Amino acid sequence: MKSENKTIVFAAVLIALAAIAVPYFSTVGFVTASPYDFAVAGLDMPVFVKAGLESTFTATLENLGKTSATAVTYSYEVLNPSGNRVYYNEGVTDLLANSKITIPMKIDELDDGTHTFRINIDPANSFAESDETNNGWDFQFAVPYGI
């Protein structure tokens, strides 16, 4: 009889655990990786940059994730030698899963000196990503450049 009681108690404990665990995992779920991972894969300088002329930089943006994303925002800016913003623009693009796109970015006339070009993808964190640390790129360059 004693072993029957232990079996019944053990079965009751298992049923109680199942009753607690099933609703928990059905509402909370297991942690899963985000299907998105946007990155700035690179930045190309124009052949030359001269004070007073428009220049076009080119950034490569990518989605390393397994799900395509629409209306992904990116922003770019140029800071002057004092660290003040002298140019800012933003755009929106679609990023297919596991793909790269190239974005041309025109910058208005800059003065001579060392500037910082900064680009960010998904700056408002509108998409939950598996890696948020690869969303930006800073690059210093001098004006004039390549002359």
Side-chain angles (χ1 to χ4, degrees):
M1 253 321 212
K2 288 184 179 181
S3 103
E4 279 183 16
N5 287 343
K6 287 181 182 178
T7 303
I8 292 172
V9 169
F10 181 70
V13 168
L14 286 178
I15 291 170
L17 285 174
I20 293 169
V22 169
Y24 175 79
F25 285 115
S26 66
T27 57
V28 175
F30 294 96
V31 176
T32 59
S34 172
Y36 307 109
D37 181 14
F38 308 136
V40 178
L43 178 66
D44 293 324
M45 290 274 302
V47 175
F48 69 90
V49 180
K50 184 177 178 185
L53 295 178
E54 181 180 85
S55 302
T56 301
F57 293 73
T58 305
T60 302
L61 307 179
E62 64 183 323
N63 180 359
L64 300 166
K66 296 179 180 181
T67 302
S68 297
T70 58
V72 179
T73 304
Y74 62 91
S75 66
Y76 58 98
E77 64 184 342
V78 175
L79 308 176
N80 66 14
S82 301
N84 298 316
R85 181 189 287 170
V86 294
Y87 189 82
Y88 178 85
N89 202 354
E90 57 186 42
V92 176
T93 190
D94 296 337
L95 288 170
L96 298 176
N98 294 311
S99 69
K100 295 180 182 181
I101 61 167
T102 303
I103 304 287
M105 298 164 291
K106 292 185 185 273
I107 306 297
D108 290 339
E109 307 159 4
L110 298 172
D111 293 329
D112 286 343
T114 301
H115 297 272
T116 301
F117 186 96
R118 179 175 294 153
I119 181 166
N120 288 293
I121 186 167
D122 191 28
N125 291 322
S126 300
F127 293 83
E129 299 175 57
S130 58
D131 183 359
E132 296 281 354
T133 65
N134 56 0
N135 288 19
W137 189 291
D138 285 14
F139 179 80
Q140 285 194 335
F141 65 98
V143 175
Y145 170 81
I147 297 175

